[in-house]
């Protein structure tokens, strides 16, 4: 009986964390290197958010990019910051060592009808709407006027040193935004 209990404990110890991780939207970044860097305090806040909520595997209407690591996620709700309430919408930030062109190709081949692409201010947006918006600037205005109501993916290369600590060799940030739930 004691051997059986020990065996179950070993199974629990080695496999349960992996099972819990397997149902996550994407594999989590390794935060150990940023914990030792005082300049990465905001990055550690993202880790704290992930400990409270990690999106499940099929949470967003788009798959996570296969070579990406999850570095931040926020669910629908209300955030209380400095005495004010802010509506939050489901979003996830991933980092990938792949170049933007490869990521855009993945999403273009994966998403299907109703998804369109445009660029604005160095970002490539892939967004879901009945028809394309006339310009990247018009899409940005639309996204800012009703945040979270247009599912979209923003792809950019404006990475910070702390991003490199989270995902060594990262070249691209992928921000996935879904409608509030």
């Amino acid at each position: 009986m004691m051997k059986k209990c020990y065996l179950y404990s070993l199974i629990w110890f080695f496999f349960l964390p992996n099972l819990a991780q397997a149902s996550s939207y994407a594999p989590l970044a390794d935060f150990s290197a940023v914990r030792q860097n005082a300049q990465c305090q905001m990055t550690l806040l993202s880790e704290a958010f992930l400990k409270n909520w990690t999106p499940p595997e099929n949470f967003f209407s788009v798959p996570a990019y296969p070579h990406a690591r999850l570095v931040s996620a926020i669910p629908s709700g209300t955030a209380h910051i400095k005495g004010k309430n802010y509506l939050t919408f489901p979003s996830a930030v991933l980092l990938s060592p792949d170049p933007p062109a490869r990521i855009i190709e993945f999403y273009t081949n994966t998403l299907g009808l109703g998804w369109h692409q445009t660029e604005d201010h160095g970002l490539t947006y892939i967004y879901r709407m009945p028809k394309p918006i006339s310009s990247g600037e018009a899409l940005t205005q639309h996204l800012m006027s009703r945040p979270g109501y247009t599912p979209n993916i923003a792809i950019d290369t404006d990475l910070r040193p702390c991003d490199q600590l989270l995902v060594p060799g990262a070249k691209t940030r992928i921000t996935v935004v879904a409608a509030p739930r």
Side-chain angles (χ1 to χ4, degrees):
M1 179 68 174
M2 191 66 147
K3 284 184 181 181
K4 197 179 219 182
C5 210
Y6 178 73
L7 179 63
Y8 286 134
S9 295
L10 281 176
I11 290 170
W12 177 272
F13 179 77
F14 285 110
F15 294 108
L16 187 60
N18 293 330
L19 290 174
Q21 193 75 304
S23 65
S24 176
Y25 178 64
L28 298 182
D30 180 5
F31 285 85
S32 60
V34 297
R35 284 188 210 113
Q36 301 163 3
N37 189 324
Q39 297 173 344
C40 297
Q41 292 301 318
M42 292 304 290
T43 304
L44 290 175
L45 186 59
S46 295
E47 181 185 27
F49 287 147
L50 285 174
K51 285 181 180 177
N52 290 325
W53 183 76
T54 301
E57 184 175 358
N58 296 315
F59 185 80
F60 295 102
S61 59
V62 299
Y65 181 70
H67 306 133
R69 297 279 181 231
L70 184 64
V71 297
S72 178
I74 298 174
S76 288
T78 304
H80 306 284
I81 302 170
K82 295 185 178 185
K84 292 185 179 184
N85 293 331
Y86 297 91
L87 178 66
T88 62
F89 44 89
S91 60
V93 177
L94 304 108
L95 295 175
S96 173
D98 291 345
R102 188 175 298 156
I103 296 166
I104 293 165
E105 179 181 13
F106 168 79
Y107 282 117
T108 300
N109 293 334
T110 304
L111 295 175
L113 296 176
W115 288 87
H116 309 283
Q117 180 181 330
T118 192
E119 293 184 23
D120 190 35
H121 297 290
L123 294 170
T124 298
Y125 289 103
I126 301 172
Y127 60 98
R128 188 175 69 198
M129 293 189 82
K131 60 183 181 176
I133 287 191
S134 61
S135 69
E137 183 179 351
L139 176 66
T140 299
Q141 290 173 354
H142 173 80
L143 294 175
M144 295 301 166
S145 69
R146 291 183 45 101
Y149 285 91
T150 300
N152 68 85
I153 305 162
I155 300 167
D156 73 278
T157 56
D158 185 23
L159 302 185
R160 296 173 194 88
C162 294
D163 294 332
Q164 296 297 325
L165 292 173
L166 285 171
V167 179
K171 294 179 186 165
T172 309
R173 177 183 296 107
I174 306 161
T175 304
V176 177
V177 177
R181 298 178 184 190

